[in-house]
Amino acid sequence: MPEQALPWVSIVIILLSVSLHEFAHAKSADSSGDPTPRSQGRVTLNPLAHLDPLGTLMIIVTSLTGFGIGWGKPVIVNPRYMQNPRVDHFLSVLWGPLTNFILAVVFAIAYRYAALPSGNEMFIYVCLLGTIINIGLCFFNLIPLGPLDGHWLLAALLPARIGARFGIWSRTYGTMILFTIILLDGFISNMTNRPTILSIVLRDPMVRVSQLLLGT
């Protein structure tokens, strides 16, 4: 496979996976009775409805430089319309990362069959990358810091009063803390040989789960 084609394969997989992640949020909320996602045109498989301009630009730029990070357009929901607000809202959030995990399993199964001696090299690479990217999206979105899905999930699991306070705190400071961790990780990685924060809590588990799914 030509080297210049590799980043573009990654970009396409990330964009489609992020779109399905956001669609899953919207579909789950819509199924529970919340009309908000449908009124905003989010209950669709059309990727254009789910891509955030800046997040998409970040995915393209960072993929071309060797790694991919970015985000989709957040799905706005209103739990008050849901049949069981606490449970249904939790599930609508959970379905995002869960969809990425399901995609990772599908890609991994396809990889195991494609990796036979007669397998197509391009297809094998797509399946391998699809598994790794979707495990990454799943785990990354479970970090309990706003605006990631993990902070909503943790807030829902905590006692109501504590969860509400944590949610406000996380939405206020979460993005700043997240970017600080990413920048600090880059500094630690470049300046020392010590394990970084993200390698301990994110990358190492991602690698182990990906290897388990791929059978490598």
Side-chain angles (χ1 to χ4, degrees):
M1 180 189 304
E3 289 293 326
Q4 62 270 25
L6 302 185
W8 294 105
V9 174
S10 175
I11 290 170
V12 171
I13 294 174
I14 295 173
L15 291 178
L16 291 178
S17 299
V18 167
S19 297
L20 287 172
H21 174 110
E22 299 300 339
F23 167 76
H25 285 315
K27 183 62 177 177
S28 177
D30 181 70
S31 298
S32 68
D34 180 9
T36 312
R38 186 171 293 277
S39 69
Q40 297 177 342
R42 303 302 300 278
V43 188
T44 175
L45 289 172
N46 181 357
L48 296 178
H50 303 296
L51 298 179
D52 177 84
L54 182 57
T56 302
L57 179 62
M58 282 288 293
I59 289 172
I60 294 173
V61 172
T62 57
S63 293
L64 292 175
T65 57
F67 66 99
I69 186 171
W71 55 88
K73 185 189 300 182
V75 174
I76 306 301
V77 302
N78 189 338
R80 290 180 297 177
Y81 289 114
M82 296 178 177
Q83 297 166 5
N84 188 335
R86 188 174 178 85
V87 174
D88 290 339
H89 184 221
F90 181 87
L91 291 176
S92 71
V93 176
L94 181 63
W95 263 108
L98 182 58
T99 294
N100 290 124
F101 185 79
I102 293 171
L103 286 171
V105 171
V106 172
F107 274 116
I109 292 172
Y111 170 85
R112 290 186 178 227
Y113 280 99
L116 298 173
S118 59
N120 178 274
E121 180 182 349
M122 175 65 175
F123 185 69
I124 292 173
Y125 178 78
V126 169
C127 294
L128 176 65
L129 205 56
T131 303
I132 296 171
I133 285 173
N134 277 283
I135 286 296
L137 288 171
C138 175
F139 277 57
F140 181 73
N141 276 284
L142 289 176
I143 294 175
L145 290 172
L148 302 176
D149 296 333
H151 99 276
W152 291 105
L153 298 175
L154 179 57
L157 292 173
L158 293 170
R161 183 175 297 179
I162 298 175
R165 290 179 178 176
F166 169 77
I168 294 172
W169 174 86
S170 183
R171 289 191 293 277
T172 303
Y173 302 106
T175 302
M176 180 179 64
I177 295 173
L178 183 62
F179 274 103
T180 300
I181 292 174
I182 292 173
L183 291 174
L184 184 61
D185 256 43
F187 175 78
I188 294 174
S189 178
N190 290 329
M191 300 298 293
T192 73
N193 292 323
R194 296 179 181 178
T196 64
I197 300 170
L198 289 179
S199 69
I200 295 172
V201 302
L202 190 62
R203 295 191 189 101
D204 291 348
M206 281 169 45
V207 169
R208 287 195 290 270
V209 173
S210 295
Q211 289 175 335
L212 179 64
L213 292 177
L214 294 167
T216 58

